Amino acid sequence: MTSKKNEKYHMILQGALKVFAENGYHRSQVSKIAKAAGVADGTIYLYFKRKEDILIRLFQEKLGELVGKFHASVEGTSGAVEALRTVCSIHFSELESNPELAYVTQIELRQSDLELRKEIGSALKPYIVLIENILEQGIREQTFRSDLNVKLVRNLIFGAMDEAVTSWLISGRKYSLSEQVEETLEFFLNGVSSRK
Amino acid sequence: MTSKKNEKYHMILQGALKVFAENGYHRSQVSKIAKAAGVADGTIYLYFKRKEDILIRLFQEKLGELVGKFHASVEGTSGAVEALRTVCSIHFSELESNPELAYVTQIELRQSDLELRKEIGSALKPYIVLIENILEQGIREQTFRSDLNVKLVRNLIFGAMDEAVTSWLISGRKYSLSEQVEETLEFFLNGVSSRK
Amino acid sequence: MTSKKNEKYHMILQGALKVFAENGYHRSQVSKIAKAAGVADGTIYLYFKRKEDILIRLFQEKLGELVGKFHASVEGTSGAVEALRTVCSIHFSELESNPELAYVTQIELRQSDLELRKEIGSALKPYIVLIENILEQGIREQTFRSDLNVKLVRNLIFGAMDEAVTSWLISGRKYSLSEQVEETLEFFLNGVSSRK
Amino acid sequence: MTSKKNEKYHMILQGALKVFAENGYHRSQVSKIAKAAGVADGTIYLYFKRKEDILIRLFQEKLGELVGKFHASVEGTSGAVEALRTVCSIHFSELESNPELAYVTQIELRQSDLELRKEIGSALKPYIVLIENILEQGIREQTFRSDLNVKLVRNLIFGAMDEAVTSWLISGRKYSLSEQVEETLEFFLNGVSSRK
DNA sequence: CATGAATGAGCGTTCATTCAT
DNA sequence: GATGAATGAACGCTCATTCAT
C-alpha cells in the first residue's frame, strides 16, 4: 500500500523532473510544474517551501536512491577495485538510462547560487564519502597506493566521472556512456603513463 | 595597443566580473554592472546583445588569456609529462590567485541553460584540445599508454581539475590549491594502484 | 444560559479578538484565527459567512455589551451632566482596561471599505443615539443650551472621545486615559472659553 | 514653468487619488493606478517605494497644502477665536469641495496598520500643533481658560471635526458641511451648558 | 556614441474559501 | 456538525531592454 499521504508529494517531484528537464529550472514556472503534476499551484506550497526547494528535494530524493543502489551493489563486491568499478558503472548507467534525471543533475542543478550549492554539496556528501571509503579500503588491501591523498583523489574521481557524464549529455548523447566504464576505471587505476 | 574604442567594452567586463563575483549572476542587475563599470545602463547594450552575452564574453576573454598562457608555457616544456604539469599548475594557480574569476567560472557560469552551456563548451574547446594534444604527444613519446581513449581521458582530466577547484572554492578556500598540483598530477599519471 | 450550540461561535470570536489585536486584520489569516480558537479552518465558515463577518460580529457583540453597560449605568443617574460623565467614564475605562478590544475598535475596525463602514455605523447607532438622548434630556432639564444641534453635537462628542482613545493608543498607552474624563467632560460642558 | 521632472510624480498621485476614491485602497491595483496616471506599471516604482508609499505621500502632499492654507489664513486673523473659526472653516470647506480627497483621508487612509498610522500621525502633527498654538494663544489672550489641558483639548477638537466630516461623508453628503462651522465653533467655545 | 527614464511582460507566493470524508 | 487538504484567482514588484534626447 503506497502511502496515500505522500502521493501528491511524489507527483509534484515527478512533474518537476519532467518540466525541469524540458525547460530548465529558470524557465519552469511553478504553474507549469503544477499542471504537469496534476495539482493546483497552491498545493505545491503545502509540500515545498518554495520553488527552489523542489529542486533540492528532487536531487536529495534521487541521490538517496542512487546511494542506496551503490551500497547494495558494493556490499557484494570482493575488493576495492571491484567496488570502484561498481560505483562508476552504476553512476554511468543510471544516468544514461534516465536522461531526464541526468539533465537535471548535470545542467539544471548547477543553476543555483552559492547557498544552494552548499545544500547540494551536503546531499552529495554520502556519495563522496562512499568513494573515500573505497579508497581507504584499497589502501588497507594494499591494492592502492598508501600515500594517496584520499580527500583530494575522491574529488578528482568524482569530478572526472561528473565531467564524463556532462560531456556525454552535451554531445547530445551520441555515444554510449556505460561503454566507457572500463576505460574510465583504467584511468582511475593506472593513470595515463605507460607501464615500464 | 588598446584601442580607445574598446575602452568601455573592457570597463563593462571588468565591472561585470566584480559584480558577478559579489552577487552571483542572477542577482547582478544590469544597472549594477553599469554602475560598477561607470557607464549608463543603455551603454551596455551598445557592446553586448543581452545580459547573458556579458557572461559569455567575459568567460571567452578570460579563458583566451588563460589558454594563451598555457600555450606560452607549454611551448617551453620538454615532454608531455612536463606539459601536463604546466597545465595543471597554471589552471590551479591562476584561479587560486584570482578568486573573483574562480567564483565566476566555477559557480556563476554554470547558472545557464543548455544553449549557453554549449557556447561555453565551444569557448572551452581550445583548452580541451590543448590537453588532448598533450596526451597525443605523450603517446608519440611513448610516455603515455598507446591505448588511451584521448577524447575520454582529456575530459576526465579536465573534470578532475575542475572539481578540485570547485571543492576548494566551496570549502571557503581554506587550503592551498596550488600545493595539490603534484598529487593531482601523480593521480593523472599513475592512478590509484600501487605499483607491483 | 450559554447554549452548547454557540460554544464554538464564541470561541472563534474570542480567538479572533486576540489574533486581530496581535496582528491586525489584514495579517490575521483565517487559519491563525482557527488555531487560536481551537477549531478547524472550515469550521469558521459554519458560523461566519466571510472573514469580514468575524470582524463585524465581533464589533457588534462587544459594542452591544458596552451599550448595555451604558444603559444600566445611565439609568441610575440623576441628570444629563451626570449621564454624560458616566458615558465618557465608561467609554474610556472600558477601552483602557481592555487594550485588545481598544486596538481592534480604534485601529483594525477602520481597515474596511465603505460597505463595512456603514455596517459599523449602524452597529454604532444605538450608542450615538444614547448620547443624543442625553443631550435632549439636558435641554429639557434646561441644563444644556436649547439651541443645540443635537445631531451635530452628538457626533462632535463621539468624535472627540474617539480621538482621545486613538491618541492614547497610538502614544503607546503611556498615560492614564480614565484620568482625562473630567477634563474631557469640562470641555464638553463649557468649551474652551474663559467664563466672563 | 512646471518642473518637467516631477510631472509623472504628480500624475501618479492624481491618478491614485482618483482610483483610491473610486475603489478603496485595497481594491486599487497598482496597474489600475498606472493606467489612470497614464504611465506604465513600473514607472510608479521609480517614484514610489511601494504601493503604500503612494497613499502616504498623497496624504502628506495634500495635508501640506492644507496646512499652508491654514497658516496663510490664520496670519490675517486678530484673535484665537477667529483663528479657530478659520481652522474649522477651512477644514470643512476644503474637504467639502474635494470629495475625492475627503474620501481618501476619512476612509481609505484609515485602512492601514499601526506602522502606517504612525507615519500618518506624524504627517498630521503640524496640523495638530497649529490647533495647539491657537489654544495657547487664546490662553495668553485670556480668551480661553488658563487651566486647559492643551494636549488633550487639541485632540478633542481635532477628533470632533474629523468625526463631523466622516459622518457627513457616510451620510452620502446629503447636507452642507460648511454650514456647520458656526455651530461647531460654538460647541468648541462654550460647550453644551446653558449660560447661567 | 552615450544616456537613463520609461517600459511592461512575467512570476512566485499567499490565503480566503470549498467540499469530500 | 467538524475537519483540513486542496484549490486557484489575484497581485505587487522586478528588471532586462528600448529609444527619445
Side-chain angles (χ1 to χ4, degrees):
Chain A
M1 197 202 316
T2 313
S3 67
K4 196 98 185 189
K5 210 185 147 194
N6 288 335
E7 205 179 347
K8 292 238 156 87
Y9 175 80
H10 285 109
M11 281 165 70
I12 294 168
L13 282 185
Q14 215 46 242
L17 178 57
K18 186 169 141 57
V19 175
F20 286 163
E22 271 170 13
N23 308 283
Y25 178 72
H26 284 110
R27 284 191 209 146
S28 296
Q29 296 89 328
V30 171
S31 62
K32 213 180 274 179
I33 297 171
K35 186 171 286 182
V39 301
D41 293 20
T43 305
I44 287 182
Y45 290 86
L46 295 176
Y47 297 93
F48 301 89
K49 249 187 177 156
R50 72 199 111 184
K51 186 187 170 190
E52 212 177 36
D53 274 9
I54 309 175
L55 191 60
I56 298 174
R57 303 274 277 279
L58 184 59
F59 181 63
Q60 290 176 336
E61 203 91 4
K62 294 296 175 183
L63 198 72
E65 292 174 18
L66 233 64
V67 171
K69 286 189 185 172
F70 285 130
H71 277 116
S73 295
V74 165
E75 258 171 34
T77 59
S78 50
V81 170
E82 207 49 41
L84 199 56
R85 171 175 285 114
T86 304
V87 162
C88 186
S89 176
I90 294 180
H91 189 135
F92 283 10
S93 63
E94 281 292 324
L95 292 176
E96 185 168 33
S97 65
N98 202 339
E100 281 190 350
L101 181 59
Y103 189 82
V104 170
T105 59
Q106 304 305 119
I107 307 291
E108 295 314 321
L109 216 52
R110 319 297 161 113
Q111 297 190 34
S112 45
D113 50 31
L114 194 51
E115 198 78 9
L116 181 49
R117 286 300 278 270
K118 281 181 178 165
E119 286 210 63
I120 291 170
S122 73
L124 212 51
K125 203 65 195 284
Y127 185 38
I128 300 285
V129 167
L130 178 72
I131 299 176
E132 189 176 335
N133 289 340
I134 293 172
L135 290 176
E136 281 165 348
Q137 180 193 350
I139 292 172
R140 280 196 308 275
E141 289 173 358
Q142 300 193 323
T143 325
F144 295 166
R145 280 187 285 125
S146 61
D147 63 343
L148 281 184
N149 178 341
V150 290
K151 306 278 188 200
L152 170 62
V153 172
R154 68 177 188 188
N155 288 340
L156 297 175
I157 287 176
F158 172 78
M161 293 191 298
D162 189 60
E163 179 65 26
V165 176
T166 299
S167 291
W168 162 80
L169 204 59
I170 288 186
S171 80
R173 313 202 303 269
K174 295 217 182 89
Y175 51 91
S176 163
L177 182 59
S178 49
E179 277 180 10
Q180 295 191 327
V181 170
E182 282 311 317
E183 288 174 317
T184 301
L185 200 70
E186 176 67 21
F187 173 72
F188 289 162
L189 295 176
N190 296 312
V192 298
S193 295
S194 60
R195 253 51 74 69
K196 301 286 168 65
Chain B
M1 197 199 321
T2 314
S3 67
K4 191 98 186 189
K5 207 187 149 194
N6 287 336
E7 204 178 342
K8 296 229 160 135
Y9 174 81
H10 285 107
M11 281 164 69
I12 293 168
L13 283 184
Q14 215 45 243
L17 177 57
K18 187 169 140 57
V19 174
F20 286 163
E22 273 172 9
N23 309 285
Y25 178 72
H26 283 110
R27 285 187 210 151
S28 295
Q29 296 88 331
V30 172
S31 63
K32 214 180 272 180
I33 296 170
K35 184 172 283 181
V39 301
D41 294 20
T43 305
I44 287 182
Y45 289 84
L46 298 174
Y47 297 93
F48 300 88
K49 232 179 181 173
R50 289 166 294 147
K51 184 188 172 189
E52 215 177 34
D53 276 6
I54 309 176
L55 191 61
I56 299 171
R57 303 275 274 279
L58 183 59
F59 181 63
Q60 290 174 335
E61 203 89 7
K62 294 295 175 184
L63 199 73
E65 293 174 18
L66 231 64
V67 171
K69 286 188 187 176
F70 284 130
H71 276 117
S73 294
V74 165
E75 261 172 30
T77 58
S78 50
V81 170
E82 208 48 42
L84 200 57
R85 172 175 285 113
T86 302
V87 162
C88 185
S89 176
I90 292 180
H91 189 135
F92 283 11
S93 63
E94 280 292 322
L95 291 176
E96 183 168 34
S97 65
N98 202 342
E100 281 191 350
L101 181 59
Y103 189 83
V104 170
T105 59
Q106 304 304 120
I107 307 288
E108 296 314 321
L109 216 54
R110 319 295 162 115
Q111 299 189 32
S112 43
D113 50 33
L114 195 51
E115 194 87 5
L116 180 50
R117 286 301 277 268
K118 280 180 179 165
E119 289 210 61
I120 291 170
S122 74
L124 213 50
K125 204 63 194 284
Y127 184 37
I128 300 285
V129 167
L130 178 70
I131 297 174
E132 189 176 335
N133 289 340
I134 292 172
L135 290 177
E136 282 166 346
Q137 179 192 349
I139 292 171
R140 282 196 307 276
E141 288 173 2
Q142 300 191 323
T143 326
F144 295 165
R145 283 185 283 125
S146 60
D147 62 343
L148 281 183
N149 177 342
V150 290
K151 304 279 188 201
L152 170 62
V153 173
R154 67 177 189 189
N155 288 340
L156 297 176
I157 287 176
F158 173 77
M161 292 193 297
D162 189 61
E163 179 65 25
V165 176
T166 298
S167 290
W168 163 80
L169 204 60
I170 285 185
S171 81
R173 312 202 305 269
K174 294 218 181 91
Y175 53 90
S176 164
L177 183 60
S178 50
E179 277 180 11
Q180 295 191 328
V181 169
E182 281 310 316
E183 289 174 317
T184 302
L185 200 70
E186 176 67 23
F187 173 72
F188 289 163
L189 295 176
N190 297 310
V192 298
S193 295
S194 59
R195 251 54 72 67
K196 298 286 169 63
Chain C
M1 196 200 322
T2 313
S3 68
K4 191 97 186 191
K5 206 186 150 196
N6 287 335
E7 204 179 343
K8 295 230 160 134
Y9 174 81
H10 285 107
M11 281 165 69
I12 293 168
L13 283 185
Q14 215 44 244
L17 177 58
K18 187 169 140 57
V19 174
F20 286 163
E22 272 171 10
N23 309 284
Y25 179 72
H26 284 110
R27 285 188 209 149
S28 295
Q29 298 86 329
V30 171
S31 64
K32 214 181 272 178
I33 296 171
K35 184 173 284 181
V39 302
D41 293 20
T43 305
I44 287 183
Y45 289 86
L46 298 175
Y47 296 94
F48 300 89
K49 230 179 182 176
R50 288 167 294 147
K51 183 188 172 189
E52 214 177 33
D53 276 6
I54 308 176
L55 192 61
I56 298 172
R57 303 274 276 278
L58 182 59
F59 182 64
Q60 290 176 335
E61 203 91 6
K62 293 295 174 182
L63 198 73
E65 293 175 17
L66 232 63
V67 170
K69 286 188 186 175
F70 285 130
H71 276 117
S73 295
V74 165
E75 259 171 33
T77 59
S78 51
V81 170
E82 208 49 41
L84 199 58
R85 171 174 286 114
T86 303
V87 163
C88 184
S89 177
I90 293 180
H91 189 135
F92 284 10
S93 64
E94 280 292 322
L95 292 175
E96 184 167 33
S97 65
N98 203 341
E100 282 190 348
L101 180 60
Y103 189 83
V104 170
T105 59
Q106 304 304 120
I107 307 290
E108 296 314 322
L109 216 54
R110 318 297 161 112
Q111 299 188 34
S112 45
D113 48 33
L114 195 51
E115 194 89 5
L116 181 49
R117 286 300 278 267
K118 280 180 178 164
E119 289 210 60
I120 291 169
S122 72
L124 213 50
K125 203 64 194 283
Y127 184 37
I128 299 285
V129 167
L130 177 71
I131 298 175
E132 189 176 336
N133 289 341
I134 292 172
L135 291 177
E136 281 166 347
Q137 178 191 350
I139 292 171
R140 282 195 307 276
E141 290 172 359
Q142 301 192 322
T143 326
F144 296 164
R145 283 186 283 126
S146 60
D147 63 343
L148 282 182
N149 178 341
V150 290
K151 304 278 189 202
L152 170 62
V153 173
R154 68 177 188 189
N155 288 340
L156 297 176
I157 286 175
F158 173 77
M161 292 192 296
D162 189 60
E163 179 66 25
V165 176
T166 298
S167 291
W168 162 80
L169 203 60
I170 287 186
S171 81
R173 313 204 302 271
K174 294 217 182 88
Y175 52 91
S176 163
L177 182 59
S178 49
E179 279 180 10
Q180 295 190 329
V181 169
E182 282 311 318
E183 288 175 317
T184 301
L185 199 70
E186 176 68 24
F187 173 72
F188 290 163
L189 294 175
N190 297 312
V192 298
S193 296
S194 59
R195 252 55 71 69
K196 298 287 168 64
Chain D
M1 197 202 317
T2 315
S3 67
K4 196 97 184 187
K5 211 185 146 192
N6 289 335
E7 205 179 347
K8 292 240 158 86
Y9 175 81
H10 286 109
M11 282 164 69
I12 293 167
L13 282 185
Q14 214 47 241
L17 179 57
K18 187 169 138 60
V19 175
F20 286 162
E22 272 170 12
N23 308 283
Y25 178 73
H26 284 109
R27 284 191 210 147
S28 296
Q29 296 90 328
V30 171
S31 62
K32 212 180 275 179
I33 296 171
K35 185 170 284 182
V39 301
D41 293 21
T43 305
I44 287 182
Y45 291 87
L46 295 177
Y47 297 93
F48 300 89
K49 249 185 177 159
R50 72 199 110 181
K51 186 187 170 189
E52 212 177 36
D53 273 9
I54 308 176
L55 190 61
I56 298 173
R57 302 274 279 277
L58 184 59
F59 181 62
Q60 289 176 336
E61 203 91 4
K62 294 296 176 184
L63 198 73
E65 292 174 19
L66 234 62
V67 171
K69 286 188 186 175
F70 286 130
H71 277 117
S73 296
V74 164
E75 259 171 32
T77 59
S78 49
V81 171
E82 207 48 42
L84 200 57
R85 172 174 286 114
T86 304
V87 162
C88 186
S89 176
I90 293 180
H91 190 133
F92 284 9
S93 64
E94 281 292 323
L95 291 175
E96 184 168 34
S97 65
N98 201 341
E100 281 190 349
L101 181 59
Y103 189 83
V104 170
T105 59
Q106 304 305 121
I107 307 290
E108 295 313 322
L109 215 53
R110 320 296 162 113
Q111 298 190 33
S112 43
D113 49 31
L114 194 51
E115 198 78 10
L116 181 50
R117 286 299 279 269
K118 281 180 179 166
E119 286 209 65
I120 291 170
S122 73
L124 212 51
K125 204 62 195 285
Y127 184 39
I128 301 284
V129 168
L130 178 71
I131 298 175
E132 189 177 337
N133 289 340
I134 293 172
L135 291 176
E136 281 166 347
Q137 180 192 348
I139 292 172
R140 281 196 308 273
E141 289 173 359
Q142 302 192 321
T143 325
F144 295 166
R145 283 187 284 125
S146 60
D147 62 343
L148 281 183
N149 178 342
V150 291
K151 304 278 189 202
L152 170 62
V153 173
R154 69 177 188 189
N155 287 341
L156 297 176
I157 288 176
F158 173 78
M161 292 192 297
D162 190 60
E163 180 65 26
V165 176
T166 299
S167 290
W168 162 80
L169 203 60
I170 287 186
S171 81
R173 313 203 302 271
K174 293 216 183 91
Y175 52 91
S176 163
L177 183 58
S178 48
E179 277 180 11
Q180 296 191 325
V181 170
E182 281 312 316
E183 288 173 318
T184 302
L185 200 69
E186 177 67 21
F187 173 72
F188 290 162
L189 294 176
N190 297 311
V192 298
S193 295
S194 59
R195 251 53 73 68
K196 301 284 168 64

